[in-house]
Amino acid sequence: FDCLFDRPGLHVVSAKVLSEDEMPADNTAVRVIEAIEKLPVLVVEGDPSAKPLDGAAAFLEIALAPADEQAAAGPPPAEKPKDAAPKPEDKLGRLVAPTTVPAPEIQSVTDFHKYNLVILANVPQLPQAAAALLGAFVRDGGGLLVVPGDKVIPAAYNAWMAEGGEPFAPAALGKRRSMADAPPGPLIEAVLE
């Protein structure tokens, strides 16, 4: 079932199975969950550009937090009557709050834990200190998405080791291939180990 909370923060949620069986104690479950107002996402742009809408990060930002169609279309709509009940989509708004940092400035991020997800968009490689911080972030439950592109150095990602000495990523990045007879588009080769 879906539930739309009216405010962010911690909420106690309980569910009860309406059944009469021999073990009534297991018919109820109670959990504390956290509802967030916005999902903070850090996008690291590996190929920054001065042109608007140029580069992987620009497209990721649009996908994560699209502009409000109403705002882009022109004047705001007429006000709703005060007694009109809000629709769930009115409460949602933008759910993702992306922040973009050019890859050369990644060392300015000293704590990845204020984000829920970090996206490396065509980042050639990470400095050792940033890789260590990002590794700790993922180990603590943070999300990481690697979006390879033409600037990525596969050997740098494949050499990235977790604290215990095992490879950080669950798959190795393969070398880039160009296929003249194939339609243009992303080509990603992953080797699962």
Side-chain angles (χ1 to χ4, degrees):
F1 60 90
D2 293 328
C3 179
L4 182 62
F5 295 100
D6 58 353
R7 60 181 168 71
L10 296 175
H11 298 271
V12 177
V13 178
S14 63
K16 183 174 184 178
V17 176
L18 300 177
S19 171
E20 292 187 28
D21 60 11
E22 295 175 7
M23 296 178 56
D26 71 351
N27 291 349
T28 302
V30 179
R31 300 287 184 269
V32 176
I33 62 170
E34 182 178 11
I36 60 173
E37 187 171 355
K38 295 193 183 291
L39 181 73
V41 174
L42 177 66
V43 180
V44 183
E45 172 60 85
D47 190 17
S49 174
K51 297 180 202 174
L53 297 180
D54 193 18
F59 290 108
L60 286 167
E61 284 182 20
I62 292 169
L64 293 171
D68 184 12
E69 290 180 25
Q70 290 269 352
E79 284 193 34
K80 297 177 186 174
K82 289 183 182 180
D83 60 345
K87 298 178 186 172
E89 58 270 17
D90 293 339
K91 288 183 174 183
L92 293 177
R94 284 188 179 180
L95 297 177
V96 179
T99 300
T100 300
V101 173
E105 298 174 19
I106 187 68
Q107 299 218 26
S108 68
V109 180
T110 57
D111 182 16
F112 290 102
H113 289 85
K114 62 182 178 181
Y115 304 100
N116 288 66
L117 172 66
V118 174
I119 301 174
L120 301 178
N122 200 13
V123 175
Q125 64 184 12
L126 292 173
Q128 186 63 34
L133 287 173
L134 191 54
F137 164 75
V138 172
R139 190 175 51 254
D140 292 342
L144 174 64
L145 173 63
V146 177
V147 182
D150 62 336
K151 305 291 184 209
V152 169
I153 301 170
Y157 281 85
N158 297 339
W160 188 5
M161 295 294 160
E163 195 173 87
E166 63 273 353
F168 184 79
L173 290 179
K175 69 177 186 169
R176 228 180 138 195
R177 295 187 296 180
S178 178
M179 299 168 53
D181 58 342
L187 177 63
I188 301 168
E189 178 182 27
V191 180
L192 295 177
E193 296 178 356

